[in-house]
Amino acid sequence: MIKGRRFAAIDIGSNAVRLLLSEVFETDNGPYFRKISLIRMPIRLGEDAFILGKISKDKADRLLNTILGFKALVAAYRPLGFRACATSAMRESGNGEKIRKHILAQTGVDIQIIDGKEEARTIFANNPWSRLSDDSVWLFVDVGGGSTEITIFSNGKTVSRSFGIGTIRLLEDLVHRSQWKDMKSWIRDHTRHLSGIDAVGSGGNINKIIKMAKCTDGRTITYGKIKKVRDHVKFFSYDERITKLGLKPDRADVIMPALKIYMSVMKWGGIQSIAVPQIGLADGMVRIMYREHIHSRKKQKSDGTKIQSTPSPGKTDKP
């Protein structure tokens, strides 16, 4: 029986908090990453952070209880590596750091509040970049509740940018026209000299959109099909999106803003279709931990030192 290496990651986003339990197997074609379990808790921290400027006590308590529950699951899973990261809602909240310290004191879980560039870099870790040839051209877009991260790979190099345009911000009318113009200019400036751009999308919304579009391969969706989904969904009320379209309550209201963002990015980048491999920030965290683990094993082996044992869930690895 082949034994895989286990890793766990917590992604504290603006719309939901996710726990990913993953296992990595070594194969002749490289590491194979398999999701064992993905648990999602819809707390919507961004609703407080972006409107009030701070996270309310109610949502802070819900986050604490969620981390306590996730910590117990991680302890039972016994991973080789464990990491917890928070994105735009926590980093922009006036009391984000205070909440982070409180959770650390109560649970032992050291949450890393990462900036937009680190978030983009982590999401970018989701694919076998080392196998991309220098003449490959890729655009990676991740749409969250508080921000949109875009990374472009061309000529063997990458350039990333995080934009304060997210589904919750759009829902609450918190995105200024100048921000749209900024993203449009940046995308066009970095893609106008490129041709044959392949695109990859990540985030819970694009995964739902591709399912709604009923794409034959289940992994790639064209601009035209995304537009059809948008034209179909817009005729349903919030309640009908839940009862008739089967969307979760915290997905039913942000689906339209997400469609607008993805369609805008594709239009400005001249992209006809986008691949949806069903990956996100937590998957990138697992891949980075795996690479760090392999590097550490090689170094310890060459140095003749003892390989460390499995870390406690309270000892979060730092990125």
Side-chain angles (χ1 to χ4, degrees):
M1 181 178 178
I2 301 176
K3 186 177 181 180
R5 294 184 172 93
R6 294 180 173 184
F7 297 89
I10 295 177
D11 166 15
I12 304 171
S14 302
N15 198 37
V17 181
R18 301 171 183 83
L19 167 64
L20 172 64
L21 303 179
S22 184
E23 198 164 14
V24 189
F25 298 90
E26 296 291 344
T27 72
D28 293 337
N29 296 319
Y32 171 71
F33 294 83
R34 185 177 70 179
K35 292 182 182 181
I36 301 301
S37 181
L38 178 63
I39 304 170
R40 179 177 183 275
M41 186 63 67
I43 299 179
R44 190 162 284 189
L45 297 175
E47 200 170 50
D48 283 356
F50 306 142
I51 298 174
L52 305 175
K54 64 178 183 179
I55 296 171
S56 65
K57 185 179 184 306
D58 175 61
K59 292 197 175 183
D61 288 343
R62 289 179 62 192
L63 176 60
L64 172 61
N65 289 329
T66 297
I67 298 300
L68 280 169
F70 284 178
K71 179 185 176 182
L73 292 174
V74 171
Y77 190 60
R78 300 179 66 186
L80 289 172
F82 167 59
R83 184 170 295 169
C85 290
T87 55
S88 57
M90 286 279 282
R91 70 177 173 245
E92 294 184 30
S93 173
N95 58 346
E97 179 62 21
K98 180 180 179 181
I99 292 172
R100 186 195 73 80
K101 290 180 178 178
H102 180 65
I103 290 176
L104 174 61
Q106 295 296 312
T107 70
V109 175
D110 188 7
I111 298 169
Q112 305 302 309
I113 301 178
I114 59 177
D115 61 24
K117 288 186 177 180
E118 179 67 16
E119 185 176 353
R121 184 188 74 84
T122 304
I123 295 166
F124 185 71
N126 274 305
N127 287 272
W129 316 122
S130 58
R131 300 178 190 177
L132 293 180
S133 60
D134 287 348
D135 58 355
S136 297
V137 181
W138 291 81
L139 182 148
F140 306 89
V141 53
D142 178 82
V143 176
S147 61
T148 294
E149 274 64 46
I150 299 177
T151 297
I152 297 174
F153 175 95
S154 65
N155 298 319
K157 299 179 180 179
T158 62
V159 57
S160 299
R161 179 78 182 272
S162 177
F163 297 90
I165 300 175
T167 57
I168 296 177
R169 289 190 200 273
L170 282 174
L171 198 64
E172 302 296 339
D173 196 25
L174 298 173
V175 178
H176 193 270
R177 183 177 298 179
S178 62
Q179 293 173 280
W180 283 109
K181 289 183 178 180
D182 185 30
M183 185 163 74
K184 179 180 179 180
S185 297
W186 189 88
I187 293 173
R188 288 192 168 175
D189 287 345
H190 287 83
T191 60
R192 64 176 43 151
H193 62 289
L194 304 175
S195 59
I197 301 175
D198 291 308
V200 173
S202 64
N205 285 295
I206 194 66
N207 291 324
K208 176 55 67 175
I209 290 166
I210 199 170
K211 289 179 182 178
M212 295 175 73
K214 298 179 180 179
C215 298
T216 53
D217 64 356
R219 297 185 64 184
T220 305
I221 186 169
T222 64
Y223 180 90
K225 287 186 177 179
I226 292 179
K227 185 175 182 295
K228 285 184 178 180
V229 172
R230 183 202 65 182
D231 293 343
H232 177 64
V233 174
K234 72 179 182 181
F235 286 109
F236 292 85
S237 67
Y238 171 77
D239 290 342
E240 289 173 334
R241 291 174 193 172
I242 298 172
T243 58
K244 295 183 178 180
L245 299 183
L247 297 179
K248 294 178 180 178
D250 68 320
R251 183 77 66 203
D253 56 353
V254 296
I255 191 75
M256 288 300 291
L259 283 159
K260 180 177 181 179
I261 297 173
Y262 282 111
M263 290 179 67
S264 296
V265 171
M266 293 178 74
K267 180 180 179 181
W268 297 332
I271 297 165
Q272 297 302 312
S273 64
I274 186 167
V276 186
Q278 295 187 334
I279 46 83
L281 181 69
D283 300 270
M285 292 160 64
V286 166
R287 281 159 173 76
I288 290 173
M289 283 188 284
Y290 168 75
R291 292 171 191 171
E292 291 174 348
H293 171 73
I294 294 300
H295 177 74
S296 176
R297 285 181 64 89
K298 288 181 179 179
K299 187 176 185 301
Q300 290 171 348
K301 194 172 183 179
S302 64
D303 293 344
T305 56
K306 184 179 178 181
I307 297 175
Q308 295 180 354
S309 59
T310 303
S312 162
K315 302 293 183 180
T316 308
D317 296 339
K318 293 187 177 182

